[in-house]
């Protein structure tokens, strides 16, 4: 028997053609993830700060004049004189040293930060910033280096983390994970419900076809497409953002495959009993939106309360994103992502069991 | 197999329906009420009646898509519950409402359905037989209604079935296309295929069916060959002046007070 005459292969080809012959697939599968990633990287990448660091300086006479002079010529620093404003605030130094919360500062002192739009305040008693960010840490280093140069000293500033992860490196695996979930949830649930709506299952039931051939062929076609899509996305992300997989690419694509399987079987489970394709989309949203926002796609979830984290860690998308980042960003191996693999396998098996038990093939029960 | 008096075994009929009954609950509707008939191997059998008479429900029960409330159905002497897969490998069908994937080519659709069967037809020759060869690489969505109906029929025949079900196969087709369809069905019959078709076109039933039952409100109200039914029911009755010979529509009108034409 020729391979192409196998019903499993025929359903596989049918599933693949169904995706490849839709022109909108090109946009949603490739251009949209690239577009969203580009927007987020531009918006949140800390290396992109168009404005120079605005440093408020008060109490001039007491501060080292040569240092100030050097600082005023430092790249990326704009000095803002707040001497007069500070002198009008009695005990400002004490307030700055005592309070750790901007809301607790005297209003006049708060006004200096906000009205003058300064990022930090340098006084004879210290350096004060309202922004505890990586960017402000780098600026502090720059200020210290300027001070050292003014004194003829060589101050070597070395960042603590030599190997860091750019925002693009962090974001890209999450976007790949989200693309996989979207295709599986919406693509599969819509396609299966639509087939039922058109009466195709009833038509198949007149033949000796095997139901497993239909499900496996379709899921396999989606998995192959998603792996190919991920390879192309990896290439695009590499070219545009310099993203690369530091660990095993085979493991990365294997996780993509497993994530696709779990997502597609979730889509199949959703489509099991739904008769209208519009309803399938609505039900898919019940799963999609919590996962999209709480699975670490757009922001880290390490700061979630423990009770919430214990729930979101069990989301299939959370497991997929965590595993993809572990392999891509940190170069970890199979053993290190075994928990996440287990979560994905549990999702796949549970959804397969639900599908087998509940799927409406058009026969009267 | 049924044994005749002289010890010869008669092959099982293609379809044997015995006291079939289908009742839907909530609301309670008796869709099929004590229907019985037999379809001989190699013949074309019709279920004729207006919309809502229970023809399609009867057909769907025979095809295994619905469960009867009571009664029995045997296909070539076999029951669906025990030999469902084997029965399905010997039958093909065109449903009342048909669809295929819009962005699938005609040839691809046939290859898909052919893969379900152990000994499918050669697809190029099937395409030739149904005048579909020029359309083999066309997408289903680009076909006319008549062309699409022929593709649906091709998917039903690609498995080289012994039994073909056709549920209202020419509804919505123009007369010329309908005549083409009749030619195809007649060819199937001449090749020894057994055919069960439902229709509300009396001329279609007269043209194609070796025997038929007339169904109304779920019950069989007449049965036999078209000629025998007309002779039996219309004998001695007065016909409208413009009509020289009785038709099955006249039969239905006589039996029910309504014409089949009114239900088109």
């Amino acid at each position: 028997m020729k391979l192409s005459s196998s019903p499993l292969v025929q359903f596989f080809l049918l599933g693949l053609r169904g995706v490849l012959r839709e022109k909108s697939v090109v946009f949603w599968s490739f251009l949209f993830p690239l577009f969203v990633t580009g927007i987020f990287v531009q918006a949140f990448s800390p290396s992109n700060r168009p404005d120079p660091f605005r440093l408020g300086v008060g109490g001039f006479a007491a501060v080292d004049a040569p240092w100030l002079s050097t600082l005023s010529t430092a790249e990326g620093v704009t000095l803002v004189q707040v001497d007069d404003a500070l002198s009008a605030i009695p005990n400002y130094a004490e307030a700055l040293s005592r309070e750790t919360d901007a809301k607790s500062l005297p209003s006049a002192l708060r006004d200096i930060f906000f009205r003058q739009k300064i990022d930090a305040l340098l006084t004879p008693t210290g350096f004060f910033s309202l922004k505890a960010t990586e960017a402000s840490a780098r600026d502090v280093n720059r200020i210290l280096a300027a001070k050292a140069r003014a004194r003829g000293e060589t101050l070597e500033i070395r960042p603590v983390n030599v190997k860091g992860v750019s925002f693009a490196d962090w974001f890209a695996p999450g976007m790949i994970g989200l693309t996989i979930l979207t295709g599986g949830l919406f693509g599969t649930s819509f396609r299966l419900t639509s087939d039922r709506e058109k009466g195709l299952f009833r038509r198949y039931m007149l033949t000796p076809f095997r139901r497993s051939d239909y499900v496996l062929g379709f899921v396999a076609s989606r998995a192959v497409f998603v792996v190919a899509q991920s390879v192309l996305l990896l290439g695009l992300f590499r070219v545009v953002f310099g993203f690369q997989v530091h660990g095993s690419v085979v493991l990365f694509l294997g996780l993509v495959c497993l994530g696709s399987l779990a997502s597609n079987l979730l889509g199949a489970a959703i489509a099991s009993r739904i008769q209208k394709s519009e309803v399938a989309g609505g039900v898919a949203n019940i799963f999609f939106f919590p996962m999209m926002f709480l699975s670490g796609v757009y922001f880290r979830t390490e700061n979630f309360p423990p009770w919430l984290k214990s729930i979101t860690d069990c989301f299939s998308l959370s497991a997929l994103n965590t595993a993809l980042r572990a392999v891509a960003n940190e170069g970890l191996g199979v053993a290190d992502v075994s928990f996440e693999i287990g979560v994905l396998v549990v999702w796949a098996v549970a959804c397969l069991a639900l599908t087998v038990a509940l799927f409406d093939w058009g026969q009267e029960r | 197999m049924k044994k005749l008096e002289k010890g010869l075994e008669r092959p099982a009929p293609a379809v044997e329906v015995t006291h079939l009954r289908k009742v839907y609950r909530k609301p309670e509707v008796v869709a099929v009420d004590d229907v019985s008939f037999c379809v001989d191997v190699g013949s074309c059998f019709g279920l004729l009646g207006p919309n809502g008479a229970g023809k399609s429900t009867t057909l769907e029960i025979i095809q295994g898509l619905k469960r009867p409330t009571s009664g029995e159905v045997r296909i070539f002497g076999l029951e669906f519950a025990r030999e469902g897969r084997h029965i399905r490998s010997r039958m093909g069908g065109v449903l009342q409402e048909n669809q295929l994937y819009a962005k699938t080519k005609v040839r691809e659709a046939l290859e898909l359905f052919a893969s379900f069967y152990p000994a499918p037809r050669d697809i190029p020759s099937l395409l030739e037989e149904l005048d579909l060869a020029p359309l083999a690489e066309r997408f289903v969505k680009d076909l006319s209604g008549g062309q699409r109906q022929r593709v649906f029929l091709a998917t039903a025949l690609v498995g080289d079935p012994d039994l073909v079900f056709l549920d209202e196969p020419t509804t919505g087709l123009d007369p010329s296309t309908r005549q083409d369809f009749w030619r195809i069905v007649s060819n199937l019959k001449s090749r020894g295929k057994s055919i069960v078709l439902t229709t509300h076109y009396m001329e279609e039933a007269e043209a194609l069916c070796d025997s038929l039952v007339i169904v109304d409100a779920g019950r069989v109200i007449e049965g036999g060959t078209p000629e025998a039914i007309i002779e039996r029911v219309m004998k001695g009755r007065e016909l409208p002046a413009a009509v020289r010979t009785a038709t099955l529509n006249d039969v239905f009108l006589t039996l029910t007070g309504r014409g089949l034409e009114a239900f088109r």
Side-chain angles (χ1 to χ4, degrees):
Chain A
M1 185 172 88
K2 283 195 305 181
L3 199 61
S4 61
S5 61
S6 150
L8 180 63
V9 171
Q10 282 296 319
F11 278 123
F12 171 83
L13 291 173
L14 183 70
L16 212 53
R17 285 177 195 133
V19 173
L20 295 177
R21 286 175 180 171
E22 285 295 333
K23 289 175 186 161
S24 60
V25 161
V26 174
F27 174 75
W28 290 110
S29 298
F30 302 105
L31 297 180
F32 185 73
L34 191 66
F35 173 73
V36 171
T37 304
I39 292 288
F40 272 78
V41 167
Q42 284 302 312
F44 296 107
S45 194
S47 59
N48 297 331
R49 196 175 54 188
D51 300 326
F53 185 78
R54 288 174 62 82
L55 178 66
V57 183
F60 257 99
V63 178
D64 192 347
W67 173 23
L68 262 185
S69 173
T70 309
L71 199 58
S72 66
T73 60
E75 191 185 329
V77 178
T78 300
L79 292 188
V80 178
Q81 201 186 98
V82 296
D83 216 19
D84 295 336
L86 271 182
S87 59
I89 304 172
N91 303 320
Y92 73 86
E94 192 184 317
L96 281 171
S97 299
R98 182 181 64 237
E99 305 299 342
T100 57
D101 186 347
K103 285 181 279 191
S104 309
L105 287 175
S107 59
L109 203 50
R110 261 203 322 273
D111 279 350
I112 291 178
F113 281 95
F114 295 118
R115 286 188 194 280
Q116 304 274 10
K117 292 181 187 171
I118 59 174
D119 297 303
L121 178 64
L122 181 65
T123 72
T125 56
F127 177 86
F128 305 94
S129 174
L130 296 183
K131 297 174 187 175
T133 62
E134 185 188 333
S136 49
R138 280 207 299 274
D139 295 316
V140 168
N141 291 337
R142 205 177 296 153
I143 293 164
L144 292 174
K147 184 176 182 181
R149 276 198 304 276
R151 292 181 175 167
E153 296 166 0
T154 304
L155 182 65
E156 195 176 344
I157 307 291
R158 211 178 269 187
V160 174
N161 293 322
V162 176
K163 190 168 82 174
V165 175
S166 71
F167 184 80
D169 286 344
W170 183 85
F171 192 81
M175 185 49 50
I176 291 174
L178 184 66
T179 304
I180 292 169
L181 179 73
T182 308
L185 263 187
F186 293 102
T188 299
S189 64
F190 181 83
R191 171 63 181 261
L192 298 189
T193 312
S194 174
D195 282 2
R196 180 181 297 118
E197 214 173 358
K198 290 177 191 169
L200 278 157
F201 293 156
R202 280 163 54 86
R203 181 60 189 88
Y204 291 145
M205 291 306 293
L206 294 183
T207 73
F209 98 118
R210 290 187 192 278
R211 303 171 191 193
S212 56
D213 286 337
Y214 175 87
V215 176
L216 289 175
F218 183 75
V219 170
S221 71
R222 300 289 310 195
V224 165
F225 175 76
V226 162
V227 169
Q229 176 191 34
S230 299
V231 169
L232 280 169
L233 278 176
L234 286 177
L236 282 171
F237 285 151
R238 176 76 186 257
V239 168
V240 179
F241 305 113
F243 168 80
Q244 59 180 340
V245 176
H246 293 283
S248 163
V249 174
V250 171
L251 176 58
F252 189 91
L253 293 177
L255 289 167
V256 164
C257 223
L258 182 57
S260 170
L261 192 66
S263 300
N264 280 295
L265 286 172
L266 176 58
I270 288 169
S272 289
R273 307 292 292 170
I274 293 173
Q275 303 297 321
K276 296 282 182 192
S277 44
E278 311 87 74
V279 175
V283 175
N285 276 328
I286 295 172
F287 293 88
F288 180 71
F289 280 108
M291 285 201 195
M292 180 173 71
F293 288 119
L294 303 176
S295 295
V297 175
Y298 302 116
F299 45 82
R300 296 177 191 276
T301 60
E302 283 81 357
N303 293 329
F304 279 4
W307 66 267
L308 181 60
K309 193 135 188 353
S310 62
I311 295 170
T312 60
D313 278 351
C314 295
F315 287 175
S316 61
L317 184 56
S318 297
L320 181 60
N321 286 347
T322 302
L324 289 177
R325 284 193 178 114
V327 173
N329 298 156
E330 298 174 51
L332 299 180
V334 172
D336 302 301
V337 295
S338 55
F339 172 77
E340 287 76 23
I341 290 174
V343 169
L344 289 171
V345 168
V346 167
W347 272 91
V349 169
C351 292
L352 179 63
L354 273 173
T355 305
V356 167
L358 298 175
F359 205 85
D360 178 5
W361 290 98
Q363 257 183 326
E364 204 175 53
R365 286 181 167 240
Chain B
M1 296 257 194
K2 289 184 180 176
K3 289 196 175 177
L4 299 177
E5 288 177 3
K6 292 183 180 176
L8 296 173
E9 290 184 351
R10 183 190 294 158
V15 180
E16 195 173 1
V17 176
T18 313
H19 299 299
L20 200 63
R21 189 172 161 80
K22 177 67 179 176
V23 180
Y24 291 111
R25 310 281 174 203
K26 295 178 188 174
E28 186 158 306
V29 172
V30 181
V32 179
D33 191 3
D34 195 24
V35 168
S36 299
F37 58 82
C38 242
V39 180
D40 291 330
V41 172
S43 71
C44 179
F45 183 88
L47 284 94
L48 176 68
N51 293 331
K55 308 185 300 295
S56 293
T57 304
T58 303
L59 202 66
E60 285 172 359
I61 294 171
I62 296 170
Q63 291 170 326
L65 294 174
K66 285 194 166 123
R67 286 190 184 162
T69 305
S70 63
E72 193 182 63
V73 173
R74 286 179 180 268
I75 310 285
F76 299 113
L78 306 171
E79 292 178 19
F80 258 107
R82 291 190 191 136
E83 302 279 350
R85 200 171 154 75
H86 175 70
I87 292 172
R88 289 189 183 96
S89 69
R90 294 182 66 185
M91 72 182 215
V94 175
L95 297 171
Q96 190 171 34
E97 287 174 20
N98 293 280
Q99 286 279 354
L100 283 171
Y101 300 101
K103 292 194 180 177
T104 300
K105 295 179 184 174
V106 171
R107 174 188 50 78
E108 291 166 350
L110 293 188
E111 285 172 354
L112 171 66
F113 278 87
S115 70
F116 301 151
Y117 297 91
R121 292 268 315 262
D122 173 61
I123 289 173
S125 67
L126 179 61
L127 289 170
E128 284 288 344
E129 187 179 311
L130 299 181
D131 293 331
L132 289 172
L135 307 174
E137 298 304 316
R138 253 244 227 133
F139 286 126
V140 169
K141 69 178 179 65
D142 296 330
L143 302 178
S144 70
Q147 291 169 340
R148 233 178 265 190
Q149 200 66 4
R150 274 185 281 144
V151 173
F152 297 143
L153 181 62
T155 62
L157 300 179
V158 75
D160 199 19
D162 297 316
L163 173 62
V164 182
F165 295 102
L166 303 173
D167 196 350
E168 310 260 4
T170 61
T171 299
L173 300 183
D174 59 75
S176 164
T177 311
R178 191 177 299 155
Q179 294 279 342
D180 289 338
F181 216 86
W182 291 359
R183 175 183 55 78
I184 294 168
V185 174
S186 296
N187 283 341
L188 283 176
K189 228 171 54 169
S190 67
R191 285 174 31 219
K193 304 296 182 187
S194 308
I195 302 164
V196 178
L197 75 91
T198 71
T199 183
H200 55 257
Y201 296 120
M202 54 85 181
E203 65 272 19
E204 186 164 272
E206 284 186 61
L208 296 177
C209 299
D210 298 309
S211 60
L212 59 94
V213 291
I214 299 179
V215 184
D216 188 35
R219 295 190 68 89
V220 172
I221 58 174
E222 255 300 342
T225 66
E227 299 79 15
I229 292 172
I230 294 169
E231 168 71 25
R232 187 163 55 243
V233 176
M234 300 309 294
K235 189 176 181 181
R237 291 182 190 272
E238 209 172 296
L239 293 172
V243 178
R244 296 281 174 239
T245 56
T247 67
L248 286 172
N249 191 56
D250 299 313
V251 167
F252 194 82
L253 185 64
T254 302
L255 292 172
T256 66
R258 312 184 313 270
L260 275 168
E261 301 289 335
F263 290 91
R264 289 198 190 170

